[in-house]
């Protein structure tokens, strides 16, 4: 009879509420912590932003053996990426960093915060109709958010939130968490809108709507386009219509045309007239001209009126708000527009619209409520941290990126994920997102709010010895678009 092999020893990780038992050489369910030599370590190194590295350089090891020993508080910033968490939350943050900046003593409190209350706001630069306001947005068939009010030239999504993470089915929570994680780490995610389009979203990249890559966002609504370029068309064409899902513009009726002395043309537009030269609801929303559902712009025109200026030979330019679609017509003897080639004299004006359109991009803003017990990792009296942040005495950053702090109660933050290091976000299978969070304040303010001042350590000591979850450190230059 052979002896059984010894049972593999596992140790418990207490870095999150899942409390995994991890065997030697294995990693936990979050892919962030591992058992190395009987000790729980953080798989990713602590990330330090070093402004001495050329801006935008790739991440490189910051090994103690290679360190030249020089330090400047202005040059180095210890982020929470790779730092570890405060869980269980009664203990101080993983790193409380003391550093001198311009002769003043500052403290940066660094922790990877576990967010159940979090999500992303997504701005998609496109005129294409993605779906009606309030429509459910899905990933892998599960509801993960909704369409919210459109902004100028962009469609907006609100994804995630505690109700999707914890309030629905297990698949809904798991897929919501996965979707948020991938979006925050700047990966491409396919989303579908109920009653609308399928869109591939990736922070810092153009959206792909129903398989079509967007190249530019509109220069403005139809009315704004008339206001910007009316003088470019004067004397070259008798009438210009800028087709737009929201506000279609007609130059002869528009105030810009009137100021220029533009004569009436007898044109009639199907839709709801707002003010002179501005029309709402000329067509249904869609993927066609100017975000409408039309492919033939003439469908928005009614019969021309001779007594108001319509005549055979009258010329008409119809163009979209991006300059991607345009057509030139001449009225025949029956006052029916007949399509003709665009004259060379009008080509520069169409190109000018396109030139004034900015590149279409997807923007992903991480949004979370940094309240709850993580504040206990900063101070023994958590409400004082909230008041210090609200009073602008404490600066909040996310992976080194500046955060916008919402007014009102709590610490509700938003930050641009493109300004953070690669793979700055993680997750725990509860499910929740793990985001790097840093609080920076003067040493005097930190002591006043009851901070864990006895746990503060100099930057030199942290670079040399690491922390609870290991000693690996890396440095990288600030991202090119970081302030």
């Amino acid at each position: 009879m052979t002896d059984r092999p010894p049972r593999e020893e596992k140790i418990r990780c207490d870095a999150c509420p899942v409390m995994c038992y991890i065997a030697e050489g294995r990693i936990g369910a979050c892919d962030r912590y591992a058992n190395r030599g009987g000790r729980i370590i953080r798989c990713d190194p602590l990330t330090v932003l070093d402004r001495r590295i050329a801006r935008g350089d790739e991440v490189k090891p910051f090994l103690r053996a290679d360190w030249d020993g020089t330090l400047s508080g202005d040059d180095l910033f210890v982020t929470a990426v790779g730092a570890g968490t405060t869980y269980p939350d009664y203990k101080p943050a993983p790193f409380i960093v003391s550093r001198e900046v311009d002769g003043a003593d500052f403290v940066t409190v660094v922790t990877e915060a576990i967010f159940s209350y979090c999500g992303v706001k997504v701005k998609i630069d496109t005129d294409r109709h993605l779906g009606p306001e309030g429509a459910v947005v899905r990933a892998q068939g599960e509801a993960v958010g909704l369409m919210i009010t459109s902004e100028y030239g962009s469609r907006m999504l609100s994804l995630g939130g505690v109700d999707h993470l914890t309030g629905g089915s297990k698949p809904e929570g798991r897929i919501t968490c996965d979707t948020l994680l991938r979006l925050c780490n700047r990966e491409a995610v396919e989303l579908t809108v109920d009653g609308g389009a399928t869109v591939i979203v990736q922070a810092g990249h153009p959206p792909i709507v129903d398989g079509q890559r967007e190249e530019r966002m509109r220069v403005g609504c139809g009315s704004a386009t008339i206001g910007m370029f009316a003088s470019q068309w004067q004397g070259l064409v008798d009438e210009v219509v800028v087709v737009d899902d929201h506000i279609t513009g007609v130059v002869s009726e528009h105030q810009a045309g009137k100021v220029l002395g533009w004569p009436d043309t007898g044109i009639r537009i199907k839709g709801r007239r707002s003010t002179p030269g501005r029309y709402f609801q000329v067509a249904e929303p869609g993927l066609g001209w100017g975000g409408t559902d039309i492919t033939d712009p003439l469908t928005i025109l009614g019969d021309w009126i001779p007594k108001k200026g319509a005549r055979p030979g009258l010329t008409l330019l119809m163009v979209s708000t991006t300059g991607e679609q345009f057509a030139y017509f001449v009225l025949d003897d029956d006052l029916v527009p007949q399509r003709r080639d665009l004259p060379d004299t009008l080509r520069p004006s169409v190109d000018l619209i396109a030139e004034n359109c900015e590149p279409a991009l997807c923007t992903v803003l991480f949004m979370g409520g940094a309240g709850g017990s993580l504040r206990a990792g900063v101070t023994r009296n958590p409400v004082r941290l909230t008041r210090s942040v609200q009073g602008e005495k404490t600066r909040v950053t996310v992976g080194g990126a500046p955060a916008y702090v919402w007014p009102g109660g709590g610490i509700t933050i938003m930050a641009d994920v493109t300004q953070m290091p690669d793979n700055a976000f993680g997750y725990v299978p509860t499910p929740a997102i793990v985001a790097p969070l840093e609080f920076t304040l003067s040493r005097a303010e930190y002591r006043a709010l009851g901070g864990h001042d006895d746990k503060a350590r100099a930057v030199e000591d942290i670079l040399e010895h690491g922390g609870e979850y290991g000693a690996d450190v890396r440095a990288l230059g600030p991202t090119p678009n970081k302030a």
Side-chain angles (χ1 to χ4, degrees), residues 34 62 90-91 97 143 146 151 162 204 274 278 335 342 378 417 419 448 451 481:
F62 193 90
Y90 65 83
K91 63 185 180 182
V97 186
L146 71 157
E151 300 301 338
V162 69
S274 170
R278 303 169 75 250
L335 303 184
L342 183 72
V378 181
V417 303
Q419 296 193 34
N481 61 344

Side-chain angles (χ1 to χ4, degrees), residues 78 95-99 106-110 456-459 462:
V78 179
F95 294 99
I96 300 175
V97 186
S98 172
R99 62 195 182 113
F106 279 84
V107 169
T108 298
V109 184
V110 169
R457 298 166 57 195
V459 176
I462 289 169

Side-chain angles (χ1 to χ4, degrees), residues 341-395:
D341 291 338
L342 183 72
D344 291 341
T345 54
L346 287 176
R347 168 62 69 174
S349 67
V350 173
D351 292 342
L352 191 60
I353 293 175
E355 180 185 342
N356 277 268
C357 294
E358 296 178 70
L361 293 176
C362 297
T363 302
V364 176
L365 297 182
F366 171 76
M367 184 168 179
S373 53
L374 75 85
R375 293 172 297 166
V378 181
T379 170
R380 297 174 182 85
N381 192 347
V383 72
R384 291 186 180 177
L385 174 62
T386 304
R387 292 169 181 166
S388 183
V389 170
Q390 293 169 345
E392 298 183 348
K393 296 178 181 179
T394 295
R395 179 172 182 255

Side-chain angles (χ1 to χ4, degrees), residues 230-231 233-240 251-253 256-265:
S231 61
W233 294 312
Q234 189 177 29
L236 301 179
V237 64
D238 296 315
E239 183 65 279
V240 179
V251 70
S252 65
E253 300 177 0
K258 294 302 183 185
V259 170
L260 293 171
W262 208 291
D264 293 336
T265 64

Side-chain angles (χ1 to χ4, degrees), residues 432-456:
I433 292 295
V434 177
L437 199 61
E438 304 95 23
F439 297 99
T440 301
L441 63 165
S442 72
R443 190 71 175 269
E445 174 70 9
Y446 190 57
R447 288 168 175 159
L449 58 82
H452 304 287
D453 192 57
D454 58 321
K455 302 297 182 181

Side-chain angles (χ1 to χ4, degrees), residues 228-249:
M228 284 185 276
F229 303 117
S231 61
Q232 308 287 332
W233 294 312
Q234 189 177 29
L236 301 179
V237 64
D238 296 315
E239 183 65 279
V240 179
V241 176
V242 183
V243 182
D244 177 43
D245 174 40
H246 298 128
I247 308 173
T248 290

Side-chain angles (χ1 to χ4, degrees), residues 100-161:
E100 187 176 288
V101 179
D102 292 335
D105 198 4
F106 279 84
V107 169
T108 298
V109 184
V110 169
T111 185
E112 289 182 300
I114 300 173
F115 284 90
S116 294
Y117 290 83
C118 72
V120 295
K121 304 304 180 199
V122 180
K123 175 176 172 282
I124 302 173
D125 298 337
T126 181
D127 269 349
R128 315 289 180 196
H129 180 64
L130 301 185
E133 184 179 318
V136 172
V137 178
R138 299 182 185 274
Q140 303 176 53
E142 294 290 340
V144 298
L146 71 157
M147 296 283 301
I148 56 177
T149 51
S150 296
E151 300 301 338
Y152 206 69
S154 304
R155 310 295 182 175
M156 306 293 291
L157 313 181
S158 180
L159 307 180

